[in-house]
Amino acid sequence: MEKVDCIIVGGGLAGLSAAYGLASEGLEVMVIERGDYSGAKNVTGGRLYLSPIRDIYPELWESAPFERPVVRELVTLMGDGADTTIELASQKFATPPHQSYTVLRARLDQWLADQVMEKGGMVITKNRVDELLLENGKVIGIRAGEDDIGADVTIIAEGVLGLLSSKAGLRSEPRPEDHAVGFKEIVELPPAVIQDRWHLNDGEGAAHLFMGSVTRGMLGGGFIYTNKDSISLGIVVGMEHLRRDGEKMDSWKLLDAFKEMPQIQPLIAGGTTVEYSAHAIYEGGIAKVPKLYGDGYLLVGDTAGLSLNALVTVRGMDFAIASGYYAARTVLDARQRGDFSAAGLAQYEQSLRSSFVLKDLETAREIPHTIENPRLFTHYPQAVSRLMQDVFTIGPQPAKKLSSVVIGGVRKDFLNLTTFKELLGMRKI
Amino acid sequence: MSMSIEAKLGLDVFKIDKERHITIDTEKCRTVCTIKACLWVCPANLYEVDDQGNHTVNYEGCLECGTCLISCDHRALEWHYPRGEYGVQYRMG
Ligand SMILES: Cc1cc2nc3c(=O)[nH]c(=O)nc-3n(C[C@H](O)[C@H](O)[C@H](O)COP(=O)(O)OP(=O)(O)OC[C@H]3O[C@@H](n4cnc5c(N)ncnc54)[C@H](O)[C@@H]3O)c2cc1C
Ligand code: SF4
Ligand code: SF4
């Protein structure tokens, strides 16, 4: 059997990040990617939080094909007939170094694959890994078509479904309650129009999230991220909710209904849809993160359950890149010692624990079941918007004092036992 | 402004394999499944029931999201990624 130092299954961000770290140190690394190119199969919302990973591979980001730095954050709470938008325009976000950038994966992943190859790593595209090869419980390599290839260590970066790793018993099969599905369109718009619609200066970007009637009470929401000359427009909805309640509507129609909302229409008017995509998202949180390493292997990125949906912040790409980096460091150290057993690779989990990756996931431990609450997607967006509407209303009747409008609204929609209990629950997140 | 789902899929690049990557154990659909979630969860709307009452999937337009696989209670699907070089190829992603 042909053998290399390290095989990486999957050339997405996690796999390529690991490959970059290893190739930079001269290891013989082979990434196997099933798409025609890296990124061909990959979908994200879009935005990469760069600040947590800027110091990982600091030389790399200067040339990255980012779309726009996000300087404006918008959240729209959609009620029936009224909605409230919170818009944060922060000097801090507008001033370099920018904390986050919008991205398109076909561009970003291909660029990272090029960086890997420049360091001497191999990225073999158009090839699917069919199986992980195990010997006495140790991963010793992979099978792709007719070829068996061995490696000291295999880094499994196959993304959210984890088909090969669950088949080999290295993690469990994906469950609907731990996942959401996102589907999105890329809608082309001229840069000047994008800047006008989201109040941006030249080159600046916005992230605009939507909660409430978008998902008809199902866990999830809508999003728009502004790219250079297009927007990424999509819906995320919890799979278990969709599976149980979605009967009322075909999933794909949710996106059309979203596009037809009067709040969205003016934002996309004149735009041309050029691509439609869909992808699963892991939302199980840290409680369901599988064992991250074992004899001869490491799990990275989405395969390892390293992603986080905290409603207004969605993260996975930064975790993917960071876990790839720590996997590479671990392999380099294990190689020094010549020990690729589970014990030899244990440092991987320790380094994730002392980094932001598992720390942030730990902080967010309670989020998955807190956001399971359908009232977050129905009652609250509705109630906030109703209250705002009352505050701004001048009717034929004599006006009430502002304080009594607010207190009345708060009493009606917020001062009750359910809300109180939910607030207590929210404190945990 | 609203496009049909077929028109949306028509925007994507697909390299279609003769070999199908999803097969359905239709017996399970007929006999044990009550929810039949595959009929509405698929973002590409690829599942149908044919005239004979068999569940079918138009695998050619698959976006490879895995939603049908994860949502099927009865493990009626044999689902793997298309062979290397085949399936959807996103230009933006
Ligand atoms: C709709 C949506 C919105 C999101 N929004 C955000 C966001 O705004 N910010 C953020 O940070 N994260 C976001 N995420 C999460 C983020 O996209 C993921 O966490 C991230 O892509 C994970 O990267 P990865 O490298 O682990 O997996 P992937 O990017 O899925 O890469 C896996 C790679 O492995 C390849 N592969 C799989 N199996 C095989 C095989 N058998 N043989 C060969 N190759 C194989 C695939 O083709 C793919 O290239 C979002 C996700 C979705 C779906
Ligand atoms: S959900 Fe599964 S068992 Fe039920 S109809 Fe669909 S494929 Fe068949
Ligand atoms: S993987 Fe996704 S797009 Fe493909 S058939 Fe299943 S649900 Fe539909």
Side-chain angles (χ1 to χ4, degrees), chain A residues 34-37 39-44 103-107 126-128 158 160-163 173-176 179 181 183-188 230 239 242-247 249-252 255-256 259-260 265 268-271 273-280, chain B residues 1-15 17 19-21 33-47 61-75 79-93:
Chain A
R34 65 194 185 88
D36 274 6
Y37 39 85
K41 303 287 184 177
N42 302 345
V43 182
T44 196
V103 299
L104 292 167
R105 292 295 297 276
R107 292 177 187 163
K126 304 185 185 181
N127 272 275
R128 181 185 69 191
E158 58 173 331
V160 63
L161 302 182
L163 298 177
E173 286 179 357
R175 301 282 314 149
H179 291 80
V181 54
F183 23 104
K184 82 171 196 192
E185 290 180 26
I186 302 292
V187 181
E188 278 183 355
S230 68
M239 273 192 202
L242 187 61
R243 196 178 71 84
R244 258 187 311 158
D245 309 330
E247 230 171 335
M249 190 170 221
D250 293 318
S251 67
W252 51 277
L255 182 51
D256 289 334
K259 285 171 69 181
E260 275 158 25
Q265 282 271 321
I268 60 175
T273 299
V274 293
E275 187 168 83
Y276 178 59
S277 60
H279 203 276
Chain B
M1 187 77 203
S2 181
M3 292 168 83
S4 72
I5 189 70
E6 292 79 12
K8 279 193 200 182
L9 294 175
L11 300 170
D12 293 345
V13 177
F14 289 100
K15 292 170 78 183
D17 196 352
E19 191 181 301
R20 47 190 314 125
H21 68 283
C33 184
T34 49
I35 299 191
K36 304 194 196 311
C38 59
L39 294 177
W40 71 80
V41 297
C42 172
N45 194 31
L46 301 175
Y47 283 81
C62 178
L63 302 171
E64 300 168 30
C65 69
T67 306
C68 54
L69 172 73
I70 302 181
S71 304
C72 173
D73 289 334
H74 302 285
R75 297 169 167 266
W79 193 109
H80 49 78
Y81 285 125
R83 288 191 290 170
E85 243 187 304
Y86 290 104
V88 69
Q89 311 288 339
Y90 294 122
R91 289 158 298 127
M92 307 279 182

Side-chain angles (χ1 to χ4, degrees), chain A residues 53 155 163 206 221 228 233 254 272 296 312 342 384 409 411:
Chain A
I53 53 168
I155 296 178
L163 298 177
K228 279 204 174 91
L233 165 97
L254 285 171
T272 313
V312 291
V384 169
R411 189 171 286 147

